Amino acid sequence: MSGAGPFIQEDLKISDVQLEIVMGIIELYSLIGAYTAGRTSDRVGRRYTIVIAAAILFVGDLLMGFATNYAFLMVGRFVASVGVGYALLIAPVYTAELAPAASRGFLTSFPEVFINAGILLGYVSNYAFSKLPLNLGWRFMLGIGAIPSVFLAIGVLAMPESPRWLVLQGRLGDAKRVLDKTLNSEEEAQLRLADIKEAAGIPEECNDDVVPVPKRSHGEGVWKELLLHPTPTVKHILIAGVGIHFFQQTSGIDAVVLYSPKIFEKAGITSKSDQFLATVAVGFTKTVFILVATFLLDRIGRRPLLLSSVGGMIVSLATLGTCLTIIHHSEKKVIWAVALAIASVLSFVASFSMGLGPIAWVYSSEIFPLRLRAQGTSMGTAMNRLMCQIISMSFLSLYKAITIGGAFFLFMGVAIVSWVFFYTLLPETQGRTLEEMQVLFGTFFKWRDAPTALNIAGLLIVEADSKILISKTEQ
């Protein structure tokens, strides 16, 4: 949509406000998909929910590609948006529930890896299709997205169902067979199955292929436990899971991705062809650095990578805001400021992609308890889409009101607040099984809230045999 937007505006003769709406409305509509996907995945399973997402995306992309007017385009955008909401929720949940703890960060970051690969391919196709006649180019840019969804729908049918969802349905035999295939040994699979059964509330002695399960395992009663009567641990998890998505989007990444041609234009690049080449560089940078993140997540942990990432974003946004302000107030072209502005955009997307980008999805998909995971993750996804929609639909109006440099200084301020939030509330989850998360967050919550400053000299947390041992030394 980033490259298609200017051509849509020219071909359909729409205003800036209409362009903002068609660019950003996907985030609002995707809330429907994110909310519905949580319930759907609890009922029909994670795997078939991915098939549903692919089917919706296929229809939506075709409708946009064949759109003859603005109203038709908005219908296609609505359908595709629902599919986006489905996909954004179910991909990390499915991967997190299937992946071994030791490689969960690496594997769960893959949805973000391929989102970035898709963005890069989108930029490349924008550049290629921009050579076509005006009425065809943008339609090809949007319609070509239908092709990958076909491969997704077919490919996922050859993949196993989530063992944790199978346990929730009482299908212990099927869950055991999946764990045998995805873990290193039969003993490890047996131990993991026991942990999942305990988390699901199924007695340890139940070893039948199919056991009766309470009705709430299909999603009923979850909202009450999440929102109305949450325990302190669940409340902490909910704040962390929703908060990381809030800050991921309000730091301005979608403003950069969606409106990069406009940003480069304001930075002094006037040629449309040069603007598209610059956006390809943005997509390439995002893709390369997201690959860096996948290899570091399970080696150095979530927290160091996340805090370093946000720190880099703060510096990049400060530099970008300064350069754009200088360019805006200068009557002559300031070459060094133009070059530094472009470098700052690339530095910003690189910093985002190697930390906050993938970690938001990894983190929110792994921290919720099993019975709350689908619906809790859907809340994080909904917050992500809502904030993304607000940013993408208001960016043009925002920079006209406070200048484009001022807009990026505002994003810098949000990034500073997010760094404090992450440092204060997000514990390290590297190497923990999904079943250990409640213990981890409960311990971290008590540690943050306890009056340790006066009467406790230190609190040491170490890991041994997958259990947390806490030793306290009185002052």
Side-chain angles (χ1 to χ4, degrees):
M1 184 56 78
S2 172
F7 296 106
I8 292 171
Q9 188 170 23
E10 184 179 352
D11 188 28
L12 301 183
K13 306 295 188 293
I14 60 176
S15 66
D16 278 350
V17 173
Q18 287 176 305
L19 180 62
E20 278 184 325
I21 291 172
V22 77
M23 296 282 262
I25 201 68
I26 188 170
E27 318 305 345
L28 180 63
Y29 289 154
S30 66
L31 293 174
I32 301 170
Y35 172 76
T36 310
R39 298 297 296 269
T40 303
S41 67
D42 278 343
R43 289 185 177 276
V44 306
R46 314 316 195 204
R47 191 170 61 131
Y48 286 114
T49 303
I50 298 176
V51 176
I52 293 171
I56 298 172
L57 286 167
F58 176 79
V59 174
D61 288 337
L62 284 185
L63 288 173
M64 288 193 294
F66 286 104
T68 55
N69 53 48
Y70 185 71
F72 194 161
L73 179 63
M74 289 297 291
V75 171
R77 196 74 164 145
F78 170 77
V79 176
S81 302
V82 174
V84 168
Y86 263 82
L88 284 174
L89 176 126
I90 196 58
V93 168
Y94 174 78
T95 312
E97 292 190 346
L98 204 66
S103 57
R104 190 176 59 248
F106 173 75
L107 296 172
T108 310
S109 64
F110 267 34
E112 184 71 11
V113 169
F114 288 107
I115 285 173
N116 281 275
I119 289 171
L120 174 58
L121 290 174
Y123 284 146
V124 172
S125 69
N126 286 345
Y127 180 72
F129 292 134
S130 66
K131 312 298 182 184
L132 294 177
L134 178 64
N135 65 327
L136 291 179
W138 66 266
R139 290 181 169 88
F140 273 97
M141 292 177 191
L142 301 183
I144 198 171
I147 296 174
S149 60
V150 175
F151 291 101
L152 173 62
I154 295 172
V156 77
L157 293 175
M159 294 159 63
E161 182 53 88
S162 159
R164 288 165 171 86
W165 181 82
L166 291 170
V167 169
L168 281 178
Q169 310 313 306
R171 295 164 56 183
L172 303 185
D174 291 338
K176 177 65 164 57
R177 283 186 281 276
V178 173
L179 290 169
D180 284 339
K181 291 179 180 178
T182 56
L183 296 179
N184 295 325
S185 66
E186 188 174 341
E187 292 76 16
E188 185 181 357
Q190 194 65 50
L191 288 172
R192 188 65 60 241
L193 180 61
D195 289 341
I196 298 170
K197 284 163 59 179
E198 181 181 357
I202 295 176
E204 186 178 351
E205 59 271 14
C206 288
N207 292 308
D208 299 332
D209 276 1
V210 180
V211 300
V213 292
K215 187 179 180 183
R216 75 177 204 165
S217 67
H218 295 278
E220 292 81 356
V222 167
W223 293 116
K224 183 184 294 184
E225 193 170 348
L226 267 175
L227 299 176
L228 298 181
H229 306 292
T231 64
T233 299
V234 169
K235 189 185 298 182
H236 181 191
I237 290 172
L238 185 62
I239 291 171
V242 174
I244 194 170
H245 280 290
F246 173 85
F247 285 114
Q248 188 205 51
Q249 290 304 320
T250 53
S251 60
I253 185 61
D254 263 39
V256 172
V257 172
L258 274 176
Y259 295 103
S260 50
K262 288 273 187 184
I263 295 169
F264 290 128
E265 180 185 355
K266 292 293 180 181
I269 301 176
T270 54
S271 165
K272 270 192 166 51
S273 179
D274 290 343
Q275 288 171 15
F276 279 127
L277 284 175
T279 59
V280 170
V282 170
F284 180 77
T285 303
K286 280 176 68 48
T287 304
V288 168
F289 280 90
I290 193 71
L291 289 172
V292 172
T294 62
F295 291 101
L296 294 178
L297 273 168
D298 291 316
R299 295 188 180 187
I300 68 174
R302 280 52 155 169
R303 268 177 66 90
L305 205 56
L306 181 61
L307 296 174
S308 302
S309 164
V310 178
M313 290 166 60
I314 292 168
V315 174
S316 300
L317 288 168
T319 307
L320 179 58
T322 302
C323 292
L324 291 174
T325 301
I326 291 172
I327 293 168
H328 177 72
H329 290 287
S330 177
E331 295 181 359
K332 296 181 180 180
K333 192 170 185 177
V334 185
I335 300 298
W336 68 266
V338 173
L340 190 55
I342 296 170
S344 298
V345 170
L346 298 180
S347 171
F348 173 73
V349 297
S351 299
F352 176 87
S353 295
M354 69 180 295
L356 183 55
I359 289 174
W361 299 103
V362 172
Y363 209 84
S364 65
S365 66
E366 66 184 3
I367 62 176
F368 285 97
L370 177 59
R371 64 190 178 280
L372 309 177
R373 185 167 300 130
Q375 308 289 35
T377 306
S378 76
M379 290 185 65
T381 304
M383 176 60 74
N384 186 288
R385 296 299 87 195
L386 178 62
M387 291 299 104
C388 186
Q389 184 255 333
I390 291 172
I391 296 298
S392 58
M393 287 185 68
S394 64
F395 179 70
L396 292 179
S397 302
L398 177 67
Y399 87 66
K400 287 178 182 177
I402 63 173
T403 74
I404 193 165
F408 285 104
F409 283 130
L410 179 62
F411 293 143
M412 180 195 70
V414 173
I416 291 172
V417 175
S418 73
W419 194 96
V420 176
F421 176 88
F422 299 146
Y423 180 81
T424 306
L425 289 176
L426 272 62
E428 180 59 70
T429 59
Q430 178 193 12
R432 308 290 184 185
T433 67
L434 297 182
E435 288 67 42
E436 288 179 324
M437 292 299 170
Q438 274 187 280
V439 176
L440 174 63
F441 270 81
T443 303
F444 190 83
F445 186 87
K446 291 174 184 176
W447 175 69
R448 290 294 182 190
D449 282 1
T452 55
L454 294 177
N455 57 10
I456 297 178
L459 182 149
L460 175 65
I461 301 177
V462 296
E463 182 177 344
D465 298 327
S466 300
K467 295 180 180 178
I468 302 173
L469 303 178
I470 304 174
S471 63
K472 298 182 180 180
T473 305
E474 300 242 346
Q475 189 172 34

